[in-house]
Amino acid sequence: MSDAPHIIEPGATIGMLGGGQLGRMFIQAAQQMGYRVVVLSDEAGGPAAQVASEVIAGDYASHHLAALADKCQVVTLEFENIPDDAVRALSGSVATYPNARILQTAQDRSLEKQTMADFGLPVTPFRTIANPASDEGRALLKQASEELGLPMILKTARSGYDGKGQRSVHSLEELADAAAAFGSQRIVAEQRIAFDREVSVLVARNRHGEMAVYPLLENDHRNHILAESICPADVPGAVAAEADRIARTVAERLDLVGLLCVEMFLIDGNRLMINEIAPRPHNSGHLTIEAAVTSQFEQHVRAVCGLPLGSTELRCPAAMVNLLGDLWPSGGGSPCFAEALKVPGVSLHLYGKAEARVGRKMGHLTAVGSSVAEARDRARQAYRCVGG
Ligand code: ATP
Ligand code: MG
């Protein structure tokens, strides 16, 4: 909105679309700064709703969006899988960040990768296949396997997270099976990258165009789900500088207002390749709560409210481990945390989810230390204490 105030001062009301843990931690940061946060979520007792100043329980139907717009000076989102139409409609009556175009881009792996390539940025080699099970789709898949080489990773173009909707294919037989399994869903076929490590970079940009980039994070995934992050990543200065350049380019070219994470592969110790972007606070950035001068959540608040961005400097090295539902006793109850909290430098975050399921993110542990190695050892020690 062109007539939106440039600065939304603490004390004002922020709207939040989505009700999960990212929303919860955003709200906690916003409230610390004196903002009220109204959540629109169909999960009335969910992680964000539990701590919100006010909850509108419902979906993204127009009357719910209108009710939210009425109460807020600015609206933001906690994840990218919110219908871009809803965001576009909302932005007609209240400033809404990030913009609908960024969402549209991040919601579709094919458009996302093409957009990054169009910006001149390095991205994993890929092909888009509109209808894998059709004769034409099968031929395109075979051609992709010849051009990109096997193994490949096939991913649904839309609505994947935590590795859902992905298949690795190692042979032409597996390719044929996968084509049948994906049916008519549009997919991207990617070269499987033999990366050394996975890294991510967080960038914030406020409505005045000011930007701030965090030190590089290094991430370890298990079963396609983030398991552990450390910061700062141990990479040559030139790699850190390249990550910074990539992050700023993405934020600027997409006209980001808010926070965005770029997930990348590090290859041959010196080359970065973009895997995907997430236009929101990111799981790998949770350790900024304890380790950075300004947490990613506070930075998100500052960015969408037009406040000056905070320092992204680290106070100390840190490590984070995710706590998945796998750790929760199957008969109910929760793990014991007292032992873990004896470990020096460890902080516990639980998201208030009522039901623990395998693979579900229930919380995380962060450990700080005088070195990355110490922080990681502490995080792992604490993790073992809760049964990990
Ligand atoms: P998330 O929500 O956790 O980010 P996602 O479902 O959006 O996951 P990706 O980030 O694309 O999916 O993939 C999940 C993980 O699978 C990556 O972090 C990486 O470990 C692995 N992976 C994905 N694509 C490739 C690839 N082309 N080559 C090698 N590994 C890959
Ligand atoms: Mg990912």
Side-chain angles (χ1 to χ4, degrees):
M1 273 202 1
S2 54
D3 58 350
H6 286 301
I7 296 179
I8 294 161
E9 288 283 347
T13 302
I14 305 173
M16 164 62 68
L17 300 179
Q21 65 267 22
L22 298 175
R24 179 185 180 96
M25 289 183 273
F26 173 92
I27 294 167
Q28 289 166 335
Q31 287 174 338
Q32 180 184 311
M33 297 174 76
Y35 290 99
R36 294 183 73 253
V37 183
V38 182
V39 163
L40 170 58
S41 167
D42 52 11
E43 241 192 307
Q50 287 168 22
V51 301
S53 316
E54 192 179 332
V55 180
I56 301 174
D59 57 13
Y60 304 122
S62 55
H63 61 287
H64 291 140
L65 295 174
L68 184 70
D70 252 9
K71 293 175 187 287
C72 304
Q73 279 77 57
V74 62
V75 173
T76 190
L77 349 156
E78 66 138 15
F79 60 22
E80 58 274 30
N81 284 326
I82 289 175
D84 54 295
D85 289 353
V87 170
R88 208 165 281 115
L90 198 56
S91 63
S93 46
V94 61
T96 304
Y97 303 116
N99 66 49
R101 185 181 143 233
I102 299 183
L103 286 192
Q104 225 176 344
T105 308
Q107 281 169 6
D108 186 310
R109 290 186 198 277
S110 171
L111 179 61
E112 174 182 62
K113 283 172 191 292
Q114 194 53 52
T115 303
M116 297 300 113
D118 292 346
F119 292 168
L121 298 174
V123 59
T124 46
F126 75 101
R127 299 286 184 275
T128 304
I129 289 109
N131 184 352
S134 68
D135 289 345
E136 191 194 356
R138 287 175 188 274
L140 287 172
L141 269 175
K142 180 144 184 303
Q143 189 185 342
S145 72
E146 285 156 8
E147 289 170 4
L148 303 177
L150 289 172
M152 292 194 300
I153 300 189
L154 310 184
K155 306 177 180 179
T156 52
R158 299 186 70 86
S159 68
Y161 69 98
D162 288 347
K164 293 184 173 64
Q166 299 194 13
R167 265 173 104 120
S168 281
V169 291
H170 302 82
S171 64
L172 291 179
E173 295 73 56
E174 284 182 12
L175 194 61
D177 289 348
F182 282 112
S184 60
Q185 293 182 86
R186 195 161 49 92
I187 60 168
V188 293
E190 291 178 23
Q191 189 178 87
R192 194 171 86 185
I193 306 297
F195 54 78
D196 306 334
R197 285 183 271 165
E198 292 193 67
V199 294
S200 56
V201 61
L202 293 164
V203 55
R205 186 169 176 274
N206 70 13
R207 44 211 282 177
H208 315 295
E210 186 192 346
M211 288 195 274
V213 180
Y214 283 83
L216 197 63
L217 295 141
E218 184 176 327
N219 307 316
D220 208 354
H221 290 77
R222 262 163 245 151
N223 304 321
H224 295 273
I225 303 177
L226 181 66
E228 188 177 288
S229 295
I230 56 169
C231 192
D234 181 20
V235 294
V239 171
E242 172 67 353
D244 186 279
R245 183 189 74 88
I246 290 173
R248 286 174 195 271
T249 304
V250 175
E252 201 153 35
R253 296 289 300 271
L254 288 177
D255 195 21
L256 170 77
V257 174
L259 203 86
L260 181 141
C261 181
V262 187
E263 297 179 16
M264 296 170 290
F265 301 131
L266 179 65
I267 306 153
D268 301 331
N270 61 13
R271 208 151 50 89
L272 293 171
M273 208 174 253
I274 298 175
N275 173 35
E276 62 172 352
I277 61 169
R280 52 166 169 80
H282 192 262
N283 194 168
S284 62
H286 291 354
L287 55 73
T288 60
I289 295 174
E290 283 83 11
V293 172
T294 313
S295 80
Q296 63 168 347
F297 299 103
E298 177 180 338
Q299 199 75 292
H300 184 182
V301 175
R302 288 177 180 238
V304 299
C305 291
L307 295 173
L309 298 179
S311 165
T312 55
E313 217 173 291
L314 287 188
R315 297 179 198 273
C316 52
M320 182 231 47
V321 289
N322 269 334
L323 300 174
L324 301 183
D326 315 41
L327 296 170
W328 267 243
S330 50
S334 68
C336 298
F337 295 104
E339 281 304 309
L341 291 169
K342 279 188 192 157
V343 180
V346 165
S347 303
L348 172 67
H349 297 255
L350 290 179
Y351 308 145
K353 296 184 183 178
E355 195 195 335
R357 289 191 297 271
V358 170
R360 189 176 200 203
K361 292 172 180 169
M362 302 297 287
H364 69 270
L365 291 166
T366 301
V368 295
S370 56
S371 63
V372 168
E374 183 179 60
R376 180 161 43 195
D377 286 349
R378 288 172 167 181
R380 287 179 180 174
Q381 192 188 336
Y383 184 61
R384 283 193 298 276
C385 293
V386 292

